[in-house]
Amino acid sequence: MSRSQLAPGVEVVAVPGRDLAVRTAEGEFLSVRTQDADKDALLSRLAGATTAPADDELHRVVRAFEQAGYLTDEPQHPEWPAARRGIRLLGDPVLTEPLAAHLAALGAVPHTTSAAPAPEASPRDLDDLLHEDPAAVVWCLDGPVPDGLWDAADMLPERGVAWLRCHREGWQAYVEPLAAAPGDVTSAHIRARRLAATPAHRELAAYWSGPRTSGAPVRLTVPAAGLLAALLADDLRRWAIDAPDAPGSGGLPARRRLRRVDLRTLTVTEHPVLPVPEAATMPKTKPKTKPKKDG
């Protein structure tokens, strides 16, 4: 058998008075018909024992687990590839500090740009973003995104650098999809899609461009900042190890979803988002000339 043990999240339980049952990674229970198979040998085999199935019935059950995708031979915690370890972090420390801690624990090498808050809200050119040859650039804002701030960063995927970002608008935070290749969703695409999806597009555009009048400020709590950092770190880890999209995520690929986080309840909702195609230009046509009359 090529796969040796139950995949992460898959468990087998003995049901009193009945046969075995498998609990899938999605949390569903399925009955397992073992017939005359040795249950102890089966459970030992599914737990990772290297002994081969002793009889045909045991072999059949193990084979059924493998075909259903419930077995794996992959390491449960693959290492972060060396070529993708360098991660540059920009933005507000309330978000970049917990993110850096998560990334370091996962095996990445985060580099936080130390600068005062004001310069972090200023545009940067592409050469500056590519300084020290990062594998990915992450930009986190504890506030709305000023017009033009991320224009240069949107060109990072065309240079082979992954691009991930998040920002806060009042009590709502947005974790945008990671862009890793030309044609992926950029911050400009997100803004265009959000404007197109709301009847209050003029108000939203005005909110982004400012100025805004606020009362008591919204403060990111430690749990809220930790949640946002964890979502970003997980996206980066999945990109780094080329992990497949998790099943049960609503069918939305990670690079085609926008996540909205309610900072009051820490509720995360996902919304599909696609790149915005470039507007087709009208073909240029020569004006028709009227035939000249004789005489």
Side-chain angles (χ1 to χ4, degrees):
M1 301 296 293
S2 61
R3 293 184 173 133
S4 60
Q5 59 184 320
L6 290 171
V10 179
E11 298 169 292
V12 173
V13 59
V15 183
R18 305 188 68 178
D19 217 328
L20 300 178
V22 56
R23 186 183 188 276
T24 70
E26 290 74 35
E28 297 177 336
F29 284 97
L30 304 174
S31 296
V32 180
R33 296 181 179 178
T34 58
Q35 296 181 8
D36 297 327
D38 185 334
K39 292 182 181 179
D40 290 337
L42 173 61
L43 294 176
S44 177
R45 175 68 177 79
L46 296 177
T50 57
T51 56
D55 54 55
D56 292 341
E57 181 57 25
L58 191 59
H59 179 87
R60 182 192 68 80
V61 177
V62 172
R63 180 75 173 174
F65 270 82
E66 183 178 21
Q67 291 176 343
Y70 297 150
L71 299 184
T72 182
D73 58 354
E74 298 176 357
Q76 295 190 14
H77 302 287
E79 292 186 1
W80 198 295
R84 293 183 173 180
R85 282 181 183 158
I87 312 293
R88 185 175 184 188
L89 305 182
L90 298 168
D92 293 300
V94 68
L95 291 167
T96 58
E97 288 178 0
L99 176 56
H102 285 316
L103 292 174
L106 290 170
V109 182
H111 300 280
T112 304
T113 300
S114 57
E120 289 296 343
S122 302
R124 294 170 179 264
D125 60 35
L126 190 57
D127 289 338
D128 178 32
L129 293 170
L130 294 172
H131 181 62
E132 296 184 347
D133 193 25
V137 173
V138 188
W139 205 328
C140 306
L141 292 180
D142 185 20
V145 185
D147 287 332
L149 178 65
W150 287 346
D151 286 356
D154 275 348
M155 295 185 286
L156 287 169
E158 299 178 7
R159 298 292 190 94
V161 177
W163 164 225
L164 184 61
R165 59 270 175 206
C166 77
H167 68 281
R168 179 183 62 79
E169 297 177 7
W171 284 115
Q172 292 74 43
Y174 293 87
V175 179
E176 301 191 4
L178 183 142
D184 279 349
V185 177
T186 66
S187 68
H189 295 157
I190 295 291
R191 289 169 84 91
R193 293 295 188 188
R194 289 186 60 194
L195 288 173
T198 176
H201 55 89
R202 295 181 182 86
E203 291 80 359
L204 182 57
Y207 175 78
W208 286 337
S209 61
R212 296 172 296 273
T213 301
S214 302
V218 173
R219 303 286 186 189
L220 270 179
T221 64
V222 171
L227 172 60
L228 294 172
L231 292 174
L232 294 167
D234 187 64
D235 281 350
L236 286 165
R237 183 190 67 86
R238 291 180 177 279
W239 157 77
I241 65 175
D242 291 318
D245 292 317
S249 60
L252 299 180
R255 283 153 69 173
R256 294 292 185 268
R257 73 180 174 202
L258 171 67
R259 285 182 288 194
R260 181 179 182 270
V261 181
D262 188 323
L263 299 174
R264 298 164 295 184
T265 62
L266 301 188
T267 302
V268 181
T269 55
E270 296 184 353
H271 306 272
V273 62
L274 295 173
V276 178
E278 295 183 8
T281 58
M282 293 295 291
K284 294 182 179 180
T285 57
K286 295 182 179 180
K288 294 181 179 180
T289 56
K290 294 182 179 180
K292 293 183 180 180
K293 294 182 180 180
D294 294 336

